[in-house]
Amino acid sequence: MTREGKEPPDQAGRETLGSYAEFYRYWMPRLTGYLRAQTSDSRWVEDVAQESMLAARARWGELMTYDKPGAWLFRVATIMLRRWQARAREQCTSLDDMVTRGVAPVAVDGGEGTEERVDLMNAVRALPRRQREAVALHCLLEFPLAEVAQILGISEGAAKTHVHRARQRLAELLRPAAGPAAAPHAEGMT
């Protein structure tokens, strides 16, 4: 049950949202969460999410004929974010600028488990790009591996490999921060 008291759409139902407004309300928080896992620069998160949603709005009639419009949205957002990041790398004028770009702390609301969420998000951001994208889509957003592969433009086997390697690396990264008990939690992400 959601905060608004409505039942969330099931796995199949999330793809059959009837209006653009429903599509936006359902996918926008998930999209921004996925993008936050990719970069610590909140300006990019908001801009890429909005640009992706504008692209969906512009192609709404066609998009609703797709079997998986959510997968299309995440594919567009992933491509846009990669382009923005490539442009930013080209614009860096010094090594110092490149090193300091991604070190901004994660803003969280400060409830139970805040430190664990910050550690997890920082660990996810430390992964190589493909692993970071794959684990965020599959483990955090619960996309099936076939859809992860489609979104990232890779084979399903490659998606599975990236998720597996990401889980292993996350277990390594989180173990020292939270002690030996953190490893099963990171490995158990599904």
Side-chain angles (χ1 to χ4, degrees), residues 42-64:
S42 62
R43 294 170 300 165
W44 287 357
V45 169
E46 296 304 320
D47 289 347
V48 169
Q50 288 297 332
E51 289 292 324
S52 300
M53 283 297 188
L54 285 172
R57 180 70 179 124
R59 297 181 63 174
W60 184 246
E62 177 186 346
L63 186 59
M64 289 318 303

Side-chain angles (χ1 to χ4, degrees), residues 36-37 40 102-126 170 173-174 177-178 185:
R36 275 192 192 94
S40 61
V103 297
V106 178
V108 290
D109 58 2
E112 268 186 46
T114 299
E115 279 186 39
E116 290 174 8
R117 283 196 308 261
V118 171
D119 289 345
L120 178 61
M121 292 303 285
N122 288 334
V124 168
R125 286 190 191 117
L170 285 172
L173 291 171
L174 294 174
H185 175 70

